[in-house]
Amino acid sequence: MLITRTFLFLATLALMLPVSWVYMSSRRERLHNQAIVQTLLILPMVVAGVILIVRNSVALAFSLVGVVGAVRFRTTLSDSPDLVFIFLAIAVGFAAGVEVLSVAV
């Protein structure tokens, strides 16, 4: 089980490395946002971890909604392609969390 989880997180990181490279190369006319690059690498692993924890517990899912509702997001994305990359990172995290890496690929 630990080996499977470790493989999931490493595979998620391996899947997001090319995505982050594409993000950085698509911003040649101006500098890319380093915070978004870091988010693209870390967010899928966090999402996968949360999905693995909440997977079979409705009570944990509702408590997670409460925690997320209490968090105030201060960063706004000014460029819509940045948002597309963030959604892609979330989708990869969900796929890894439900252990369907073929969908993430």
Side-chain angles (χ1 to χ4, degrees):
M1 186 161 161
L2 179 62
I3 294 172
T4 304
R5 304 294 187 235
T6 304
F7 173 74
L8 281 173
F9 287 118
L10 291 176
T12 303
L13 181 62
L15 285 172
M16 289 310 295
L17 280 173
V19 172
S20 65
W21 296 334
V22 169
Y23 171 76
M24 289 186 293
S25 67
S26 69
R27 301 284 179 238
R28 291 203 188 271
E29 66 276 353
R30 62 181 176 91
L31 294 175
H32 62 273
N33 189 347
Q34 187 63 31
I36 293 180
V37 174
Q38 293 170 353
T39 301
L40 289 175
L41 295 175
I42 295 172
L43 181 65
M45 292 186 285
V46 171
V47 170
V50 168
I51 296 295
L52 289 169
I53 290 170
V54 175
R55 191 172 206 167
N56 295 321
S57 174
V58 175
L60 283 175
F62 281 121
S63 64
L64 178 66
V65 169
V67 168
V68 170
V71 174
R72 181 175 177 194
F73 297 99
R74 295 186 177 263
T75 303
T76 59
L77 296 174
S78 59
D79 201 8
S80 59
D82 292 350
L83 188 60
V84 171
F85 281 99
I86 296 295
F87 280 142
L88 177 64
I90 292 170
V92 169
F94 268 104
V98 295
E99 299 176 3
V100 186
L101 287 176
S102 61
V103 172
V105 172

